[in-house]
């Protein structure tokens, strides 16, 4: 199975900050990468798919980039509602695998 | 709107089975596979398997092979996930999530059901 390694595992930031979360795949995964946000007690929600496509309804302060094995989620200016846990997901090959998560805290 | 509604919380004893349902609405059910993902308390997300709408072509994670059965019913627009031989390690929230329906939507599981908490305790 492809391993997805996220960094950092936790991150402290302030409202207005620019933050980046990284995800490294154990092998090339083409474009088959998405980013998810999860708040406590809620289901995950897709933010980005195909590395950089913004899901409908997601604010433009979220963006994705990368290629090959290295990918990045960027939040350009943190808002209070962005404090949550973020996961990357590859579905290039089965089984689909998630990163271990990055908890973004105030 | 596209929506997935799951069955309610369950409490089971070790060794028992649980069956979780996921009812879809707001889209052409037959066009999309469904994933099942679970999340143990305080832990990350774990993919369990995928099922086609009619339930004919399940694909299971190796970890759950032999212990999980996923089915689908196009007449009721519902998919099911049954997990057998439960242990305390199966205590988790179980989610269904719609797969990409084709085209350029890789890495997209959307939407997700609200989750079903399964507690395994003696």
């Amino acid at each position: 199975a492809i391993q997805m390694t996220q960094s950092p595992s936790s991150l402290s930031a302030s409202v207005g900050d620019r933050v980046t979360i990284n995800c490294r795949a154990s092998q090339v995964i083409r474009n088959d990468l998405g980013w998810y946000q999860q708040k406590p007690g809620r289901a995950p929600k897709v933010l980005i798919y195909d590395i950089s496509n913004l899901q409908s309804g997601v604010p433009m302060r979220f963006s994705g980039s990368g290629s090959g094995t290295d990918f990045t989620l960027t939040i350009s200016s943190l808002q209070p509602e962005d404090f949550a846990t973020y996961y990357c997901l590859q579905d290039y090959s089965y089984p689909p695998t998630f990163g271990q998560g990055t908890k973004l805290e105030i | 709107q596209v929506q997935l509604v799951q069955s309610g919380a369950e409490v089971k004893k070790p060794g028992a089975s649980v069956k979780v349902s996921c009812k879809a609405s707001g889209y052409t059910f037959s066009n999309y596979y469904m994933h099942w993902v679970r999340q143990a308390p305080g832990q990350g997300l774990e993919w369990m398997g995928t099922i086609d709408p009619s339930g004919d072509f399940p694909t299971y994670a190796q970890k759950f092979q032999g212990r999980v059965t996923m089915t689908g019913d196009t007449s009721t627009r519902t998919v099911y996930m049954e997990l057998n031989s439960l242990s305390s390690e199966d205590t988790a929230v179980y989610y269904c999530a719609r797969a990409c329906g084709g085209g350029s939507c890789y890495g997209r599981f959307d939407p997700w059901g609200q989750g079903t908490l399964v507690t395994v305790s003696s």
Side-chain angles (χ1 to χ4, degrees), chain A residues 32 36 38 42 50 55 91, chain B residues 39 95 104 106-107 109-110:
Chain A
D32 304 358
Y36 292 76
Q38 187 180 32
R42 304 294 296 274
D50 288 348
Q55 173 74 358
D91 63 357
Chain B
Q39 186 171 39
Y95 295 102
S104 184
Y106 301 108
F109 290 11
D110 178 67

Side-chain angles (χ1 to χ4, degrees), chain B residues 59-74:
Chain B
T59 302
Y60 303 134
Q62 189 170 8
K63 175 178 179 176
F64 301 102
Q65 287 275 3
R67 206 161 66 89
V68 69
T69 303
M70 296 178 187
T71 55
D73 184 341
T74 54

Side-chain angles (χ1 to χ4, degrees), chain B residues 27 31 35 114:
Chain B
Y27 69 95
N31 287 356
H35 297 289
Q114 82 277 18

Side-chain angles (χ1 to χ4, degrees), chain A residues 30-36 38 42-46 48-51 53 55 87 89 91 94-96 98 100, chain B residues 33 35 37 39 43-47 49-50 59 61 95 100 103-110 112-115:
Chain A
R30 204 179 55 182
N31 286 355
D32 304 358
L33 182 107
W35 289 96
Y36 292 76
Q38 187 180 32
R42 304 294 296 274
K45 179 181 88 163
V46 64
I48 301 283
Y49 61 95
D50 288 348
I51 298 179
N53 284 351
Q55 173 74 358
Y87 295 92
L89 163 70
D91 63 357
Y94 272 56
F98 293 89
Q100 76 275 24
Chain B
Y33 281 48
H35 297 289
V37 175
Q39 186 171 39
Q43 302 301 308
L45 301 166
E46 180 177 33
W47 181 81
T50 300
T59 302
Y95 295 102
C100 170
S104 184
C105 55
Y106 301 108
R108 189 173 80 185
F109 290 11
D110 178 67
W112 294 56
Q114 82 277 18

Side-chain angles (χ1 to χ4, degrees), chain B residues 10-65:
Chain B
E10 303 262 14
V11 179
K12 296 292 183 181
K13 293 194 181 302
S17 298
V18 68
K19 190 170 186 177
V20 180
S21 67
C22 171
K23 185 173 178 62
S25 61
Y27 69 95
T28 304
F29 181 74
S30 58
N31 287 356
Y32 294 83
Y33 281 48
M34 198 76 75
H35 297 289
W36 286 92
V37 175
R38 78 175 186 179
Q39 186 171 39
Q43 302 301 308
L45 301 166
E46 180 177 33
W47 181 81
M48 298 180 68
T50 300
I51 185 70
D52 65 293
S54 60
D56 294 332
F57 304 105
T59 302
Y60 303 134
Q62 189 170 8
K63 175 178 179 176
F64 301 102
Q65 287 275 3

